[in-house]
Amino acid sequence: MAESPLVTFKCGKCTATGPNGTKIKPDPTPGYLYLYTGEDELLHLCWRPRAQTSTNPEIDLLMLPGDGSFHPLVKNPGAETVESPTTGRIFVLKFASSSQRHYFWMQSASQSHTDSASGGLGIFSERDQRIGQLVDALLQGEEVDVEAEVREARNGGGGGSGPNGDADAMDVDDGGVRLDEQETGEAGQNATGGDPRDEGEASREGGADGGRAPTSSSSQDPNTLVQNFLNSLNRGSSGGGGSANHQPDDPFTTLPDLLNKVTTVSYIASASAEQIDHLCTLLPPELFLLAQESFSDPSSSDPDPTPAAGQAAIEALDLWQKKGILTRAVRSPQFNQSLGSLTVALRDGGLPMIGEALGLKVENGGVIRGGSVPLGGGRAVEAFVEGVRRTVEEE
Amino acid sequence: MSAGWNTICCYQQRVRRRSFASPPALHHVASQGPANPCCAQGVFTFLIESLGVKNVQFEELLDLDPESLQQLNPIGVIFLFKYPTGEKPQRDKPLDGDFDFAALTAPHEQTDFDTNTNHPLWFAAQTIQNACGTQALLSVLLNKDSASASTSSASAEAEAEAGAIDIGPQLREFKDFTSAFPSDIRGEALSNSALIRDVHNSFARSSPFVSDDTRLATEEDDVYHFIAYTSINSTLYELDGLQPAPIRHGDAGACPPEIFADAVVPVLQRRIARYPPTEIRFNLLAMCEDLRVRARETGDAEMLAREERKRREWRWENALRRHNFVGLIGDVMKGVTAAKVREGTYGAWIEEAKAATRKRVEERRGRGQAGDEMDVS
């Protein structure tokens, strides 16, 4: 992350538990919630443990303007006091584009001195509310003078301050933070968690509205789906402008670099007969007919052989010959161009579709957590590679 | 504007420039990528066969040398090059030669040297960039067909001498249909022809990138252009769909088909010399009779064997080009991953690939180009 965060404050994340995931359980790990503008000019909402550096947040959500909203979770909406129905101050992050929710709890010292049933630990002070409002405004894409707001939140805000003052909430300690650092009033371990009123199921179909997925994907050949997607990229952009938008500091790698000739050729050389036979079915049958063709009468062969003819040709060849054909195919410029083309497709938002077409267990269906936007750039390639590994390990 | 003309991107390869026997000297440029089998000749040959043309093939010219070109008995030459975006079509006068507008509107006045018939010149103004390869092919084919009224055997021989070819029923129909049209309408008709478009697209790669075989599209938008040269009515013409009219080189009637090879070489050399030597990427293809037919006629068994082998290569490349590799890539990826996990080398494999990507980006940056990890050239 090259940019410095717009706003940061001490915050913990929550996990959904219980039937239907309607119970929210705060995670005690001390952390920071922060927003920053990425190199892609888009807003990111992130959470990281305080012990980690800011370059590797555990949660990194891409926020399209207006898609996300950030509000306190209150037990009495409209009441004068803004208070969460629990022993902590819970914020909820919602999306217009999906039903996913994220819950966070403020870890800064509570400024409440109210003597309420829950000990007042769920009450949002004015400072707390200001922070929440600042985050929400940024998520809406509003022009916010962040510095001014932060100053206001720090200086203003009602109801006295604890021993560490308001600076406590938004102090970011990037150095080695002691994990046993204790905060007063943390909602942490004892909180029963909220019972969100308006929650439905948390999960959504992975990839269902990602990218350009057609509606009846099950009835179409996966290869065709991916090819159609590649075609749509071609028509949509003028000569592959996709690569120009990608973050050069996160290239990960490419399929041509992973499946380079050394790797693919040695894989074929050591593959079993069964694997080879299966791979042969993924090549055009004409290759096998050409190999089999008698030299004396080449003009008799059919340029569009039937699958049966192709299958017969495959069976007529021995393992060594089949390996030779596969080797030649993976060394061909056409295969290598396809590797590049598929990488472009992954980077340009095709991961959900490609993952589904190839039957891969891609994390989150290939979309950014919390939203419906497909992963892009090097991260999509990374998720693809991870998805392959997960799939083969589970097989 | 018709829909769906895909780019035939195998044409758009970085081709090694060879040193030529005669001036101007074109220096050999070591190719940076893997050696490319030139598949343009195979693609074009199969393309016109699919359109119904009989016994015509393409041969790549590695030497711009009149003798070796003459040996092929060429019907025409296709010159393919990276279109310099700075060079706009000349409206008043071409950079070399003269516009022959008269050939557009009326049957050419000059008669053929021995058949004494007027052959109107078929020329189409190109409407779609992606169609320009096919348009160049057709501009030769449709002017070289044996469509003259004469049917006597003597004339047939003379026609064969003149490089007349059998373009097949579909193209004959297309030619007749468009014969009365002005050139821009012919261009429209071409792009609207379902047959021509479908055949073109079946040979085109429908992938997003339009650059070198392993290099992916970046901000540079390489535009490749195709120009045909042929002798029509014993006159040397340059047929470029982006130009308003055919361009005549030399005097009318001064280029009967048998001296075409000699006449066209200097014209091509002048053209090549117009571009900076380091910049140009180009390819030359001669259109000629199917060499297997000639080998059979002359009883040259070795030549026949060679040509058959070449055809098999083309069919191999063609099969790969049309193939959708997504399934194979998926399974190879799974297989390699499983093997690496089993061997405990998975992490190292990923890291090595990442390092290779980084290195390439650095190298491009070092050459002053934008770092683009998708450029694997």
Side-chain angles (χ1 to χ4, degrees):
Chain A
M1 183 181 76
E3 317 289 324
S4 54
L6 292 164
V7 57
T8 307
F9 63 100
K10 290 172 177 167
C11 215
K13 59 180 169 120
C14 301
T15 47
T17 58
N20 300 324
T22 50
K23 277 257 188 266
I24 304 303
K25 190 167 149 53
D27 181 321
T29 313
Y32 288 115
L33 184 93
Y34 58 101
L35 286 141
Y36 77 94
T37 309
E39 300 227 354
D40 48 10
E41 310 255 318
L42 291 167
L43 191 63
H44 293 245
L45 187 148
C46 302
W47 181 88
R48 65 169 170 95
R50 268 180 249 167
Q52 302 274 11
T53 62
S54 60
T55 47
N56 203 11
E58 220 177 86
I59 297 176
D60 186 346
L61 303 170
L62 194 72
M63 308 302 301
L64 298 176
D67 189 31
S69 67
F70 192 78
H71 297 298
L73 179 70
V74 292
K75 63 181 180 185
N76 289 321
E80 226 182 78
T81 317
V82 178
E83 184 179 4
S84 286
T86 170
T87 51
R89 290 154 290 158
I90 311 273
F91 276 113
V92 55
L93 174 69
K94 293 184 195 171
F95 295 86
S97 61
S98 83
S99 59
Q100 280 225 356
R101 302 274 187 273
H102 287 265
Y103 296 92
F104 300 95
W105 59 278
M106 292 194 90
Q107 287 173 333
S108 52
S110 166
Q111 295 173 308
S112 162
H113 299 287
T114 311
D115 210 1
S116 84
S118 59
L121 294 172
I123 294 180
F124 287 81
S125 69
E126 209 170 303
R127 175 207 68 190
D128 298 336
Q129 293 174 48
R130 272 210 148 98
I131 292 174
Q133 283 154 10
L134 171 58
V135 173
D136 187 57
L138 287 168
L139 294 181
Q140 300 319 310
E142 286 169 24
E143 296 283 324
V144 182
D145 184 348
V146 180
E147 271 189 47
E149 288 297 314
V150 168
R151 227 178 311 127
E152 280 268 88
R154 279 200 164 130
N155 300 334
S161 46
N164 295 328
D166 292 294
D168 198 36
M170 294 184 279
D171 240 355
V172 178
D173 190 350
D174 261 318
V177 175
R178 292 191 317 277
L179 285 175
D180 58 359
E181 184 179 78
Q182 287 301 313
E183 294 278 2
T184 58
E186 54 184 322
Q189 302 85 339
N190 298 323
T192 54
D195 191 4
R197 323 270 152 131
D198 52 345
E199 297 318 307
E201 29 64 56
S203 66
R204 49 178 283 283
E205 300 278 287
D209 36 85
R212 299 157 173 86
T215 46
S216 59
S217 49
S218 55
S219 57
Q220 275 188 282
D221 165 38
N223 280 351
T224 314
L225 286 180
V226 179
Q227 196 57 49
N228 289 342
F229 176 77
L230 292 175
N231 295 351
S232 73
L233 281 185
N234 189 24
R235 294 209 194 95
S237 65
S238 51
S243 58
N245 297 328
H246 293 138
Q247 303 162 17
D249 63 332
D250 176 26
F252 188 62
T253 186
T254 67
L255 290 178
D257 285 322
L258 280 167
L259 295 181
N260 55 49
K261 289 181 185 155
V262 169
T263 303
T264 52
V265 170
S266 69
Y267 168 66
I268 289 169
S270 54
S272 69
E274 202 179 70
Q275 287 171 316
I276 293 293
D277 278 340
H278 174 69
L279 290 175
C280 284
T281 62
L282 299 169
L283 281 177
E286 176 149 20
L287 298 187
F288 304 98
L289 288 163
L290 281 169
Q292 213 196 3
E293 200 165 89
S294 78
F295 181 81
S296 55
D297 191 13
S299 51
S300 65
S301 57
D302 183 0
D304 276 315
T306 62
Q311 192 56 38
I314 293 176
E315 281 161 16
L317 299 169
D318 66 33
L319 182 62
W320 183 83
Q321 285 170 310
K322 285 186 268 205
K323 285 195 177 187
I325 291 172
L326 274 165
T327 302
R328 220 179 134 191
V330 299
R331 292 175 57 107
S332 69
Q334 292 84 1
F335 181 77
N336 284 282
Q337 278 164 321
S338 290
L339 287 175
S341 169
L342 198 59
T343 308
V344 171
L346 288 170
R347 294 170 57 94
D348 282 355
L351 174 60
M353 142 143 6
I354 292 167
E356 194 172 316
L358 295 176
L360 302 177
K361 297 183 168 57
V362 178
E363 182 174 354
N364 248 8
V367 297
I368 293 172
R369 240 181 288 173
S372 61
V373 177
L375 289 171
R379 295 175 57 201
V381 182
E382 188 169 7
F384 171 78
V385 172
E386 262 302 298
V388 173
R389 186 178 65 83
R390 194 172 301 135
T391 309
V392 305
E393 279 180 349
E394 291 180 20
E395 273 172 16
Chain B
M1 174 72 176
S2 78
W5 278 78
N6 295 328
T7 57
I8 300 192
C9 84
C10 105
Y11 301 159
Q12 294 144 352
Q13 292 180 30
R14 187 189 197 113
V15 178
R16 280 172 300 194
R17 289 167 52 183
R18 315 282 173 142
S19 14
F20 281 59
S22 49
L26 291 163
H27 306 290
H28 180 88
V29 172
S31 68
Q32 292 180 0
N36 301 327
C38 179
C39 45
Q41 40 185 3
V43 172
F44 278 147
T45 303
F46 290 144
L47 195 153
I48 62 176
E49 269 179 21
S50 302
L51 289 173
V53 178
K54 310 266 189 312
N55 295 325
V56 175
Q57 75 174 70
F58 288 86
E59 278 289 297
E60 188 189 4
L61 291 177
L62 301 179
D63 287 298
L64 195 53
D65 151 46
E67 280 87 41
S68 44
L69 178 55
Q70 181 57 41
Q71 277 192 338
L72 294 171
N73 199 12
I75 303 164
V77 165
I78 308 287
F79 179 60
L80 120 78
F81 64 107
K82 178 178 167 188
Y83 192 67
T85 46
E87 189 177 297
K88 306 228 175 343
Q90 299 291 317
R91 287 287 145 183
D92 310 321
K93 189 182 177 344
L95 294 176
D96 190 17
D98 296 293
F99 285 127
D100 192 344
F101 287 96
L104 278 184
T105 52
H108 198 87
E109 289 306 304
Q110 296 281 334
T111 61
D112 205 49
F113 72 102
D114 68 340
T115 61
N116 206 37
T117 50
N118 295 339
H119 298 279
L121 196 155
W122 195 94
F123 176 76
Q126 177 186 318
T127 52
I128 305 183
Q129 174 61 42
N130 284 352
C132 72
T134 305
Q135 191 263 359
L137 302 185
L138 290 178
S139 63
V140 177
L141 292 171
L142 298 185
N143 284 304
K144 286 299 194 173
D145 68 316
S146 49
S148 75
S150 175
T151 51
S152 72
S153 58
S155 294
E157 265 174 40
E159 279 178 8
E161 278 291 312
I165 52 187
D166 178 5
I167 62 174
Q170 289 134 323
L171 286 182
R172 260 196 297 277
E173 193 185 305
F174 179 77
K175 179 177 176 177
D176 289 339
F177 175 68
T178 56
S179 59
F181 294 176
S183 56
D184 55 342
I185 306 295
R186 283 195 191 132
E188 288 266 345
L190 191 160
S191 58
N192 287 331
S193 159
L195 164 73
I196 296 173
R197 188 180 63 238
D198 288 347
V199 168
H200 169 105
N201 283 345
S202 73
F203 284 91
R205 298 195 38 223
S206 48
S207 93
F209 57 96
V210 292
S211 215
D212 280 346
D213 64 344
T214 49
R215 185 164 182 269
L216 298 158
T218 61
E219 293 79 13
E220 296 175 42
D221 232 336
D222 279 0
V223 174
Y224 278 80
H225 194 50
F226 302 74
I227 295 180
Y229 293 84
T230 189
S231 160
I232 304 170
N233 300 320
S234 294
T235 308
L236 177 58
Y237 281 106
E238 173 184 327
L239 303 165
D240 177 355
L242 287 188
Q243 304 288 353
I247 296 170
R248 186 187 62 239
H249 291 277
D251 294 329
C255 183
E258 55 269 22
I259 67 159
F260 168 71
D262 275 320
V264 78
V265 164
V267 175
L268 290 168
Q269 285 171 339
R270 284 200 297 276
R271 173 131 220 169
I272 289 165
R274 290 209 313 245
Y275 304 106
T278 50
E279 277 294 311
I280 182 132
R281 304 174 188 184
F282 69 91
N283 200 359
L284 282 170
L285 295 167
M287 183 192 290
C288 60
E289 167 201 37
D290 188 335
L291 296 173
R292 296 172 301 175
V293 170
R294 192 197 297 183
R296 282 188 207 114
E297 279 170 4
T298 58
D300 187 339
E302 199 197 309
M303 179 180 174
L304 181 61
R306 205 171 51 237
E307 291 302 318
E308 292 292 6
R309 199 160 39 239
K310 200 193 298 177
R311 287 275 168 155
R312 276 204 299 281
E313 285 293 317
W314 294 353
R315 283 169 53 205
W316 171 277
E317 282 160 3
N318 198 39
L320 287 181
R321 185 198 1 278
R322 299 167 79 161
H323 187 65
N324 182 332
F325 277 110
V326 173
L328 182 65
I329 291 174
D331 273 18
V332 169
M333 187 68 189
K334 284 184 192 167
V336 171
T337 301
K340 299 278 179 189
V341 167
R342 230 181 3 253
E343 292 163 14
T345 55
Y346 178 81
W349 172 51
I350 304 289
E351 288 308 313
E352 228 178 271
K354 284 165 72 173
T357 308
R358 266 197 304 272
K359 181 161 171 251
R360 205 173 42 252
V361 173
E362 302 290 321
E363 279 172 2
R364 271 186 70 86
R365 285 210 179 111
R367 292 205 297 270
Q369 297 159 316
D372 178 4
E373 66 275 19
M374 299 313 292
D375 176 7
V376 300
S377 62

